[in-house]
Amino acid sequence: MNNTDIQPDITEIKNSRIDQVDFSNLQFGKVNADHMMYCDYIDGEWQTPKIVPYGPMEIEPSAKVFHYGQAVFEGMKAFKDENDQVWLFRPEQNFERINKSSKRLAIPEFPEDYFFASLKKLLELDKDWVKKGEGNSLYIRPFVIATENGVSASESDRYRFMIITCPAQAYYNKPIKVIFAQEYSRAADGGVGYAKAAGNYGAQFYPTKLAKAKGLDQIIWTDASSHEYLEEAGTMNIFFRVGDKLLTAPTNDRILDGVTRKSIIQLAKDNDIEVVVEKVSVKEIVNAAKSGELKEIFGAGTAATVVRVEGFEYDDVYHDLPIVDEPYGTFFKKSLQDIQYNRVEDPHGWTVKAF
C-alpha cells in the first residue's frame, strides 16, 4: 500500500462491542466493527479523513444522493493468517475501480494516500474483528455519496467518502439456482454497468424477486439489445465450463471488471486451463447442457469468492448441472483462498500486508 504522511484524525471507541457478537452465526453485512472512516469534499477539496466510532450520522433530506443517486461503492476483504497477520487482496484494484466508478457519476476522485492511510489505520484499530479460520474475513465497504443540500437536478458540490467494515463468513453456504434473463436488463451500452453504482443493484432487486418467487436464487443477465449473450450474474461475474474449456464474457461498459474474475483468469492460465474470453451465447450454453458438455457454471466475486451454480432455467425449462470430479470452481476457490489467507506463496504479488 502507498506510503504517506497523511494521517486521519482519530476518535477511538470507549467500549468495544465485539464481546456481544456471535461470530459463529453472522448474517452478512448486519454487524459492523467498532470504527468507521469518513472524509468530506468541501469547496473543491477533500478534507482531513476522520476515524470515529461506528454509528448513525446526520444528513439532510435534500441531500442529492437521495434524489439523483450519486453513490458508488466497493467491496474488499481483510484476511487473518495463522500468525495473526492481516492481509488485503489486490487492494489497488478496488481503489482504482472506485475512482473509475466515481468519474462516471461525476464524483471527484479520492486521493490514493488518503485511502490507504485511512484503511490501514481502520484495520489496525479493529484488528480483533478480523477472525482466523476458513471462510472468515472482515468485509470492507468503501463508498461515496453526494451530500450537497438541494433538489436541483445537477451534480453535487459536496460529497462524503466513507469506509465501514463488518465481520463475514461465506456469502453463499450452498449452490445456487439461476435463470437466464429474457425480459429485464441489468445495463445498456453507454450506461453505468461497468461502475459499481448503487443504482445498478437497486434496479436488479425487482427482477431478482421475481426469480426467487420461482424458487431460483439469482439471474444471469444477458445483453440488453438482444438477450442472446450471457454477461454476468446478479452480484458476480460468471464462468462456464464446456468440456475442459473455461468461458467468460469480456468486460465492456455493461460488465463489471471484477477483481476475483481477473484473478481466476490468471490462475487458469497458470494451471494450463484453457480460458476463452469472448461473447458467450445463450444458445451455446443451452445446447451444451442438452448434450452433456456443460460441466460447470460458477459465479465469482469478492463477497462470494466462488459459488457453484447447480442448475439454470431458460424458456421455462430447468437444466440440472452434473456433479463433476475435480470441479474447476472448487479448485479456483481453494487456490484463491490459499493466497488470501497467506497459506501458499503468492507468485503475482496480489496480497498486501495491512500492518
Side-chain angles (χ1 to χ4, degrees), residues 233-279:
T235 56
M236 302 172 287
N237 295 114
I238 200 77
F239 288 85
F240 306 87
R241 177 185 174 185
V242 178
D244 289 331
K245 186 184 299 184
L246 193 63
L247 311 178
T248 193
T251 55
N252 53 40
D253 58 7
R254 300 183 306 275
I255 298 177
L256 188 72
D257 186 15
V259 178
T260 307
R261 171 190 175 275
K262 65 180 67 176
S263 302
I264 287 175
I265 291 172
Q266 184 59 58
L267 288 173
K269 294 175 180 178
D270 293 346
N271 289 276
D272 296 322
I273 294 173
E274 183 180 2
V275 56
V276 178
V277 181
E278 61 183 25
K279 287 183 176 182

Side-chain angles (χ1 to χ4, degrees), residues 117-134:
S118 299
L119 179 57
K120 178 179 179 180
K121 194 62 186 179
L122 192 63
L123 292 174
E124 285 179 353
L125 290 170
D126 288 339
K127 61 182 181 296
D128 291 341
W129 290 82
V130 192
K131 296 300 183 182
K132 291 188 290 190
E134 188 72 25

Side-chain angles (χ1 to χ4, degrees), residues 37-39 46 98 110 115 142-144 159-163:
M37 181 279 270
Y38 74 91
C39 183
W46 289 103
I98 197 168
F110 197 63
F115 180 83
F143 64 101
V144 197
Y159 298 89
R160 175 163 287 190
F161 191 105
M162 301 191 69
I163 304 176

Side-chain angles (χ1 to χ4, degrees), residues 7-11 36-38 48-52 118 121:
Q7 293 297 326
D9 290 339
I10 299 171
T11 303
M36 64 183 186
M37 181 279 270
Y38 74 91
T48 300
K50 300 181 185 298
I51 293 177
V52 299
S118 299
K121 194 62 186 179

